[in-house]
Every structure is written in structure tokens, then in C-alpha cells.
Amino acid sequence: MISLKKTGLVIGVEQDLAKVSVMRQSSCGGECSSCSGCGDSKPTIVKVKNEVDAKIGDLVELQGSSNILKLTFMLYSIPLILFVVGLVAGAIVFKNKGYANYEIISFIIGIASLVISFLILKLIDKKFFERDNSLLTINRIIN
């Protein structure tokens, strides 16, 4: 099982939630001169359930749930699948109807399908967080 662990700094507490500032890690492991891909990375602020009673200023370890892999798969696969389906369906339908420029029309339908996929992902995102499924939880207080 793939486990995601990050450290972050608690910058705020609201009821049973903690606002945690998490620094993004570079893919090169901090050797930015070797990859030239990092630049200035800004921290990401996440709200997580505060089940360990962390206070402002605490350094905490965050644990990712298995839902992260499912959401990542949906994030990349749904737009790709809908784009290809729209492209192929448009090409088949408009080629069979005898349109001369069926490639352009099918491409436009593919782009429209891509836009629709982003709207679907936005709805999934809202529904997911309304159900209060946390992607990250505070595993422990480091100091």
C-alpha cells in the first residue's frame, strides 16, 4: 500500500479542524540547480480534522488516505476518456453523414467533452468534501 506522509505547521484551529501549512516537495529532492524545475514553491494550506488536539505553531505529521489514489486516477482518466470518446464519436457520426471537415467538428466535440469532464470533476469534488471524507489526517504532533 502506498502511504503519503507529509509534515506541516499548524497555522490555525477552527472547531475540530486545523489549518496546516504544507511545503511542496520538489521532484529533484531539493537539488534545484540540477533540474531547474522548482522555482519559488509556496506552501499549500489544507484543512484537516484535528483529532490529536494540535495547537497553533505545532509541527504535525499528515497521513494521506487511500482515497488519494482513487481521486488522482479520476482526475487524470475522466478528462482523457471523455475527450477520446467525444473525438471518436464525432468522427464516426460526422464522417458517416458525409461532412467534408468531420475532423475539425470531431475535435470541437472532443474539446466540449473535455470541458464537460471538468464540470463533472468539480461536482465530484464538492460531493466528496460535503461527505466529510478527509484525504489527509493529522497522524501525530512532532513537537
Side-chain angles (χ1 to χ4, degrees):
M1 175 181 220
I2 297 174
S3 175
L4 170 73
K5 289 188 179 181
K6 297 266 188 182
T7 57
L9 181 67
V10 177
I11 60 170
V13 176
E14 301 171 359
Q15 298 168 356
D16 65 337
L17 297 175
K19 278 184 169 179
V20 181
S21 174
V22 181
M23 286 301 292
R24 293 180 182 225
Q25 291 178 326
S26 64
S27 60
C28 62
E31 298 294 327
C32 298
S33 61
S34 66
C35 73
S36 303
C38 297
D40 294 331
S41 63
K42 295 179 182 175
T44 302
I45 308 298
V46 293
K47 284 187 179 180
V48 296
K49 280 196 172 184
N50 189 3
E51 296 175 348
V52 296
D53 198 32
K55 308 278 188 260
I56 295 174
D58 285 346
L59 192 62
V60 294
E61 180 183 79
L62 301 172
Q63 176 77 38
S65 74
S66 62
N67 288 336
I68 288 178
L69 290 177
K70 292 176 192 173
L71 288 176
T72 303
F73 177 74
M74 284 191 320
L75 178 69
Y76 288 103
S77 65
I78 289 176
L80 177 64
I81 290 168
L82 285 178
F83 175 71
V84 170
V85 166
L87 198 67
V88 171
I92 290 170
V93 168
F94 290 105
K95 184 178 182 182
N96 289 339
K97 290 194 178 213
Y99 284 87
N101 294 330
Y102 68 91
E103 296 98 349
I104 295 171
I105 297 170
S106 65
F107 180 73
I108 292 170
I109 291 173
I111 296 296
S113 299
L114 190 63
V115 170
I116 290 169
S117 73
F118 291 133
L119 297 174
I120 291 170
L121 286 173
K122 189 69 175 166
L123 289 173
I124 290 171
D125 184 46
K126 281 185 180 181
K127 294 289 183 193
F128 185 81
F129 286 107
E130 284 174 1
R131 286 192 333 227
D132 200 25
N133 288 335
S134 297
L135 291 176
L136 295 172
T137 56
I138 297 177
N139 197 23
R140 66 186 175 102
I141 299 172
I142 296 174
N143 68 356

